[in-house]
Amino acid sequence: MAEPFQTVPHINWVQAYLRWRARTGIARLGTTITVNTLHKEFQQIRRCLRLARDFSWSNKVVQAVKKYIDNLAKTEGACTATREKTLAYALDADEIQFYLWNCSEYVYAHPRAMVQFSFLLHIISVWGLRTGEITESTSHQGSNEGIKYGDVSLSLARCDKGALQYQITIALRNRKFCRGNEGKVKKITLREHMDPTQRYRCPIRKFLALALADDVFVNQRLPEDFDNRWIRPTASSRVFEIKEEKRNLPLCRKIDGLRVSETRMQTASSLNRILKDICEQCGYTEPVTTYTFRRGVANKVEANASQKGTKEVLGHKGDRTWHAYAAPTIGTDAQAIAYDKPQDTDYFQFAQSIAYTRDLGAPKPANATLGILCIPSEDVIRAVAQANPTYRSSDIMKKARREQYKINRQQFRKAVRSEASPVSDVPGGDDFEAEIVHKELGKTIPVCIRPVPSPEFTQMLKYNPLQARVIETLWHRKEASLAECVQPLMELANPEPFRVFYPRPALPPNDDGTCPYCKKDILSRYPHHSRLALHLLDCYCNTQNVRFCFDCTEFIDQKPGTRHCCPPGVGFDPNNQVYGVITWRGLIIRKGRCPYKLCCNSRYRHAQDLQRHIEDHHLTGLQDEPLTCPHPACGEPCNSREELRTHLHTTHKIHLVRKRDLLAKIGVRGKGTVANEAAVSNEDV
């Protein structure tokens, strides 16, 4: 196949191609292709010619073609609509950080991904940098360029009233128009957040966690080393030296399976994907990318800085380029001005941002909750199977869930626009905080209602003490030293594979892969971590004659007459409608229970055992007639046994709907049940 652009095409050919695209191009926003898309395609043609043939048209020719593209809206009916430009500010980043650490049930392949994302979100929301400037750009795939430790300088400097404050300076070697030109490298600065009530806003803590986990400093190895703040009396600052062999190490690295890559830089596409997923979990109904925050920074800086400052912050060549980032909603409070009242700028900022359309009741991605995955409709499964005849059954179900999620979000947006429910009907209204007080300004800023963690998330924290300490030190504790905040973040950012086991005193495997109790080779015997961790727990309980309470994570003596009651607020809540087995990273964090009263809430460690019990003892023999949910706090009416089975699966998270049964209805053979990675069996996905 010949290489493209072996000769430079005549400009008339390019115009003919653009006219053909305007007539035949597939539209996404309207009935015809947009003018903006044609401009982008012309830009790509110019870039390809520059790279392949080292050729560039004159500015006069380029401007003539751009004018020709604009006229295609009149001559060929090209669409002039543009995608909605959403805005996000630093306060929105605070809400995303809160949800990520305090509410999100999504299980990342490695917890370092959470620390890396938190640090990058600080940079994006404050400086509005492009993703290709801090991670590997999509336009420079394989370059492995981004922020490396050699680009970062950590120092301790004197600030107001003689206090010593940490700050980092980052050299932007990969900024647009400056890549590869060391003489044009600009630097940005991020300072330590000193307010003890807002420690979650501090980017220094996240950077120190990543740097200490990678052991990059020459003289500092522990978080406690940074609690000792000192500067020579004759100096204004103190710089912390980074090891020479670590200077080329990427700060934010790619996650390969369960491991953190030793050399590969995190890509811009993965950062945008994580941001998109967490924002959809947060309930943001508008699309969110890193450019959403870049637009917010542009509007903030333009309103508070000079034209030169705006140009430097955004990294633009021209002084007016920032107008492409201007908010679609005018930020002037003309109504207040008309009546000689002060402008409510905080409210207008809220109305411009993604927080204005946030809805915590919006559908969440399939893997955003602990327990089961959604059940795609038969029509969606059939459409995916027909469109992808070579897919395996597991791939068909994954794609069908994604398609079902898109449909659910579209239906939700249409339903919200047409509903007329009173505010008092919002579910869980008593469980949310309706506003946040801005301590520095001394007034209330309107923000979206803040969610509370689910019972499953709260239960997970009992088995994840590191994340529980992060929440405690950054959000709740009144006093916490820098080392106390950094220590759990550093352990989560450790690039070694993240393996969790049941709480101590139960021990992990020996270094040689044997059980510390029965001395058997369990690493080769149990290839799946869930079985291995459960073997260690059972061995410890047998040797110590104790049993383990999965609700309160306590070990109870097995002596006759010993009774155990979980502390108030710690044990199982009978009003909680989740009765299925809940697992996290292979650990059973809560046993499953039978919802039927006659079983006295019998408990099961494995989802298959609970499923078999309900099928054999309760569902077998039922007639396809109107039924009701057996849960005492539910009572949902169901028209058939199949509908009851689906209800128990989706609402109470009891794994009753098998994936192979769904696929069999459309003629596709599969195995397992419709469940996520939290299930004990690997055939559940």
Side-chain angles (χ1 to χ4, degrees), residues 362-634:
K364 291 180 172 54
N367 53 359
T369 57
L370 293 171
I372 55 94
L373 296 175
C374 68
I375 302 178
S377 66
E378 292 184 21
D379 293 336
V380 172
I381 299 176
R382 184 178 293 105
V384 172
Q386 292 175 352
N388 304 277
T390 60
Y391 274 22
R392 297 186 305 173
S393 60
S394 58
D395 297 330
I396 291 175
M397 289 303 300
K398 289 180 181 179
K399 188 172 181 60
R401 292 190 192 101
R402 290 195 296 267
E403 295 300 323
Q404 185 67 56
Y405 170 66
K406 293 178 182 178
I407 295 173
N408 292 344
R409 281 186 69 89
Q410 293 174 356
Q411 293 176 347
F412 176 82
R413 295 191 69 175
K414 293 180 180 178
V416 168
R417 291 171 180 172
S418 60
E419 71 178 358
S421 300
V423 177
S424 58
D425 288 345
V426 177
D430 297 335
D431 297 332
F432 300 109
E433 302 175 15
E435 59 186 21
I436 294 179
V437 177
H438 198 297
K439 302 295 183 180
E440 298 173 359
L441 299 179
K443 58 183 178 181
T444 300
I445 296 178
V447 296
C448 182
I449 52 180
R450 173 168 282 184
V452 295
S454 68
E456 291 73 42
F457 179 86
T458 304
Q459 182 69 12
M460 180 272 294
L461 291 181
K462 300 175 186 176
Y463 294 82
N464 188 6
L466 293 177
Q467 185 169 344
R469 285 164 55 192
V470 171
I471 297 172
E472 177 67 22
T473 54
L474 295 187
W475 274 275
H476 300 308
R477 191 184 298 180
K478 292 184 179 180
E479 297 293 337
S481 65
L482 182 66
E484 290 175 330
C485 296
V486 172
Q487 183 66 39
L489 289 168
M490 181 189 73
E491 295 184 39
L492 290 173
N494 190 330
E496 295 297 323
F498 186 73
R499 297 284 186 179
V500 291
F501 297 94
Y502 289 98
R504 287 181 177 271
L507 299 175
N510 295 326
D511 294 337
D512 58 356
T514 60
C515 174
Y517 305 107
C518 66
K519 307 304 179 182
K520 294 181 180 178
D521 185 6
I522 56 177
L523 286 183
S524 58
R525 184 178 181 183
Y526 300 111
H528 302 300
H529 182 71
S530 57
R531 300 290 185 182
L532 185 148
L534 201 57
H535 172 92
L536 293 169
L537 177 65
D538 291 339
C539 268
Y540 172 79
C541 291
N542 292 334
T543 56
Q544 301 298 321
N545 194 27
V546 295
R547 62 185 177 89
F548 181 69
C549 177
F550 289 90
D551 290 334
C552 64
T553 66
E554 295 289 340
F555 289 92
I556 303 100
D557 198 342
Q558 286 279 46
K559 293 180 180 179
T562 302
R563 300 187 62 184
H564 171 68
C565 292
C566 296
V570 176
F572 177 75
D573 182 5
N575 295 322
N576 184 1
Q577 297 196 17
V578 177
Y579 265 54
V581 179
I582 302 299
T583 62
W584 171 76
R585 293 190 181 273
L587 300 185
I588 300 171
I589 64 175
R590 197 172 69 197
K591 288 183 177 181
R593 291 167 170 79
C594 178
Y596 286 84
K597 293 182 179 179
L598 296 178
C599 293
C600 299
N601 293 332
S602 302
R603 303 184 180 186
Y604 301 87
R605 294 203 305 187
H606 301 292
Q608 297 90 335
D609 296 338
L610 176 60
Q611 173 194 354
R612 190 180 303 112
H613 166 81
I614 295 177
E615 289 283 359
D616 295 343
H617 292 80
H618 301 291
L619 296 183
T620 300
L622 288 179
Q623 301 296 325
D624 280 339
E625 57 186 19
L627 304 169
T628 58
C629 176
H631 192 285
C634 181

Side-chain angles (χ1 to χ4, degrees), residues 285-305:
T285 58
E286 297 176 301
V288 181
T289 66
T290 53
Y291 262 79
T292 304
F293 286 94
R294 182 170 172 80
R295 296 186 195 102
V297 171
N299 284 268
K300 273 279 191 179
V301 172
E302 193 276 335
N304 296 277

Side-chain angles (χ1 to χ4, degrees), residues 162-173:
L164 301 181
Q165 182 183 43
Y166 286 103
Q167 75 171 35
I168 54 175
T169 303
I170 304 176
L172 304 178
R173 295 182 299 103

Side-chain angles (χ1 to χ4, degrees), residues 261-278:
S261 174
E262 297 180 357
T263 57
R264 294 299 304 169
M265 177 74 67
Q266 182 179 4
T267 62
S269 58
S270 69
L271 174 58
N272 270 312
R273 184 168 58 251
I274 295 175
L275 178 61
K276 171 180 175 292
D277 290 342
I278 189 63

Side-chain angles (χ1 to χ4, degrees), residues 85 298-299 302 307 310 314 316 319-327:
K85 296 182 179 180
N299 284 268
E302 193 276 335
Q307 197 174 46
T310 304
L314 299 177
H316 289 155
D319 295 333
R320 298 182 57 84
T321 311
W322 85 269
H323 286 283
Y325 300 92

Side-chain angles (χ1 to χ4, degrees), residues 1-9 13 48-49 52-55:
M1 185 175 180
E3 291 291 332
F5 296 111
Q6 291 186 355
T7 59
V8 178
W13 298 357
C48 290
L49 285 174
R53 309 298 302 173
D54 193 22
F55 172 82

